[in-house]
């Protein structure tokens, strides 16, 4: 009998012979949780951090679990889960934000450990506060990315934390017994910090947290040169929403749209927008790139593109966003972007978007303006 895990795909994410939809951690977490899954009442299983659906569909196909609640940070992960489920004829799950409703009354939580300790803290706090007192968390990760600090973070919120034996370079942590509220740290998500007259808010897994990363700072230093005063601006891959807030303040006549595929980024950006009093002019949307924005509908795009996917340097991620910017910009509209100088993106910008000029450069970052042909 074939195992559902053998039939999963990464689509719509990048697919290649050396890229896999399932890893050893997925298999280990499912095996560690097998007894609990076999006895789990409907609606009591939660999956957090499932990359392409292995944990969710593995629990459903192997153990007949139904009513599974799932949270995935990346929109690509949600789409992959749905695509795999449809292709394999599986159901029995619903997608949720990282909210109390996700874990309310849960008795079993399957978790792919996030790299960020703050992200883990937010998840553990949510589980301890809202899950069933009998809840068990089975959390897995690659040994090379795990530290004892993860045990400590879980231990702040759940009194029992056990590290299981490693297998195929993966390890599971099993946590249970939520601490009473008097013993848990006060919930603090999203956190906010003030930088001059700008408030930055961030949930646990947000890139740069409540700080302003140095690439964004480099672009901010030149935003007062933006000529556009009306129309629509897009903060593409907005992170915590710093650029969206900045342009809304500098150009109050513009409507601003901020997009990101990360659920934690979108939640953080919405909090940042609210904290800075520009929610009437900034719309934050979870989308892959520019999402459903119509072609040639935008006057200004701001972009601090990622050049990592996980731990790998992937310049193609930025190039995809350049193409998205070109699609939505009106002729004569401008893409303002900052990039690591060693990546030499200018020829690509010239080809994909249009004539490109440099407005700032230091040994680490280059800021350019590309005008849509």
């Amino acid at each position: 009998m074939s195992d559902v895990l053998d039939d999963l795909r990464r689509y719509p994410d990048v697919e290649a012979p050396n890229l896999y939809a399932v890893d050893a951690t997925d298999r280990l977490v499912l095996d560690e949780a097998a007894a609990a899954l076999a006895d789990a009442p409907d609606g009591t299983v939660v999956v957090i951090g499932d990359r392409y659906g292995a944990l969710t569909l593995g629990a459903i196909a192997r153990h007949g679990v139904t009513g599974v609640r799932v949270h995935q940070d990346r929109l690509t992960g949600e789409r992959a889960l749905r695509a795999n489920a449809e292709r394999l004829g599986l159901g029995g799950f619903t997608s949720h934000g990282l909210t109390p409703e996700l874990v309310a009354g849960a008795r079993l939580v399957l978790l792919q450990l996030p790299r960020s300790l703050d992200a883990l803290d937010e998840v553990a706090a949510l589980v301890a506060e809202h899950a069933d007192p009998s809840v068990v968390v089975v959390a897995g990760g690659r040994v090379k990315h795990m530290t004892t600090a993860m045990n400590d973070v879980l231990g702040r919120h759940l009194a029992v934390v056990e590290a299981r034996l490693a297998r195929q370079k993966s390890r599971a942590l099993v946590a249970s017994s939520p601490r009473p509220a008097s013993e848990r740290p006060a919930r603090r998500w999203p956190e906010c910090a003030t930088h001059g007259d700008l408030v930055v808010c961030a949930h646990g897994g947000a890139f740069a947290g409540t700080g302003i990363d140095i690439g964004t700072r480099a672009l901010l230093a030149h935003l007062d040169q933006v000529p556009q005063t009306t129309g629509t601006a897009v903060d593409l891959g907005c992170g915590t929403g710093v650029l969206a807030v900045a342009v809304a303040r500098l150009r109050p006549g513009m409507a601003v749209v901020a997009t990101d595929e990360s659920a934690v980024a979108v939640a953080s950006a919405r909090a940042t927008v609210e904290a800075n009093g520009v929610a009437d002019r900034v719309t934050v949307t979870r989308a892959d790139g520019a999402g459903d924005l119509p072609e040639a509908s935008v006057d200004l795009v701001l972009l601090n593109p990622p050049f990592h996917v996980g731990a790998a340097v992937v310049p193609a991620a930025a190039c995809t966003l350049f193409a998205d910017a070109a699609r939505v910009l009106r002729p004569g509209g401008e893409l303002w972007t900052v990039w690591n100088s060693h990546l030499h993106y200018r020829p690509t910008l010239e080809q994909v978007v249009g004539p490109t000029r440099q407005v700032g450069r230091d040994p680490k970052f280059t800021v350019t303006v590309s005008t849509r042909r």
Side-chain angles (χ1 to χ4, degrees):
M1 181 176 179
S2 67
D3 186 349
V4 66
L5 301 190
D6 297 331
D7 296 323
L8 299 186
R9 293 179 52 186
R10 292 165 55 97
Y11 174 84
D13 205 353
V14 177
E15 295 189 298
N18 62 333
L19 297 175
Y20 304 97
V22 182
D23 68 7
T25 302
D26 294 314
R27 297 180 186 278
L28 179 60
V29 167
L30 287 169
D31 288 349
E32 289 284 355
L37 285 167
D39 296 332
D42 292 349
T44 63
V45 175
V46 172
V47 176
I48 300 175
D50 205 359
R51 293 189 181 96
Y52 301 102
L55 296 179
T56 304
L57 299 180
I60 291 168
R62 288 179 172 184
H63 302 284
V65 178
T66 61
V68 179
R69 286 168 279 172
V70 187
H71 172 73
Q72 296 161 281
D73 183 62
R74 294 188 66 204
L75 184 57
T76 301
E78 282 191 15
R79 290 173 174 169
L81 168 58
R82 290 196 295 267
N84 278 317
E86 183 175 352
R87 187 168 48 81
L88 298 173
L90 295 172
F93 65 90
T94 52
S95 294
H96 299 261
L98 193 61
T99 62
E101 292 73 23
L102 170 69
V103 296
R107 297 188 190 179
L108 178 63
V109 176
L110 308 184
L111 170 66
Q112 274 276 4
L113 283 165
R115 300 279 189 90
S116 162
L117 294 178
D118 283 344
L120 181 59
D121 182 84
E122 185 166 14
V123 169
L126 204 64
V127 169
E129 186 173 353
H130 297 285
D132 189 273
S134 67
V135 68
V136 174
V137 178
V138 181
R142 302 296 282 171
V143 171
K144 64 182 178 181
H145 300 310
M146 296 175 69
T147 69
T148 56
M150 291 177 170
N151 303 53
D152 297 337
V153 169
L154 287 169
R156 293 175 199 159
H157 303 279
L158 298 120
V160 178
V161 180
E162 303 173 354
R164 299 292 168 85
L165 291 176
R167 188 181 81 190
Q168 293 181 299
K169 301 181 181 179
S170 293
R171 186 186 299 278
L173 303 177
V174 179
S176 59
S177 302
R179 294 186 182 276
S182 60
E183 295 181 11
R184 299 196 304 266
R187 188 175 179 189
R188 58 191 180 95
W189 304 107
E191 290 187 324
C192 296
T194 301
H195 305 264
D197 64 348
L198 176 67
V199 179
V200 180
C201 300
H203 284 268
F207 174 71
T210 57
I212 303 175
D213 72 275
I214 54 177
T216 296
R217 287 184 185 275
L219 184 50
L220 284 173
H222 298 279
L223 279 191
D224 59 353
Q225 301 173 41
V226 170
Q228 196 69 34
T229 57
T230 61
T232 302
V234 176
D235 181 358
L236 190 58
C238 64
T240 55
V242 171
L243 292 172
V245 169
V247 76
R249 286 178 165 178
L250 284 166
R251 299 292 181 263
M254 300 195 80
V256 182
V257 178
T259 72
D260 206 295
E261 77 145 349
S262 161
V264 71
V266 167
S268 301
R270 285 177 178 156
T272 297
V273 165
E274 289 282 351
N276 288 280
V278 293
D280 59 329
R281 287 183 289 116
V282 180
T283 302
V284 184
T285 302
R286 190 171 180 222
D288 184 7
D292 296 330
L293 287 172
E295 291 185 15
S297 64
V298 169
D299 303 280
L300 173 68
V301 174
L302 307 176
L303 175 60
N304 177 8
F307 65 98
H308 283 90
V309 176
V313 176
V314 185
C319 297
T320 299
L321 292 172
F322 297 160
D324 236 19
R327 180 183 69 81
V328 299
L329 278 169
R330 294 188 176 99
E334 293 182 341
L335 167 62
W336 288 63
T337 189
V338 58
W339 36 276
N340 290 72
S341 297
H342 71 274
L343 293 174
H344 305 295
Y345 280 144
R346 188 164 176 173
T348 301
L349 288 163
E350 294 265 4
Q351 179 181 10
V352 173
V353 183
T356 298
R357 71 183 192 276
Q358 177 179 300
V359 296
R361 184 181 176 89
D362 60 35
K364 191 168 181 61
F365 290 104
T366 299
V367 178
T368 54
V369 181
S370 304
T371 303
R372 183 73 171 98
R373 294 185 182 87

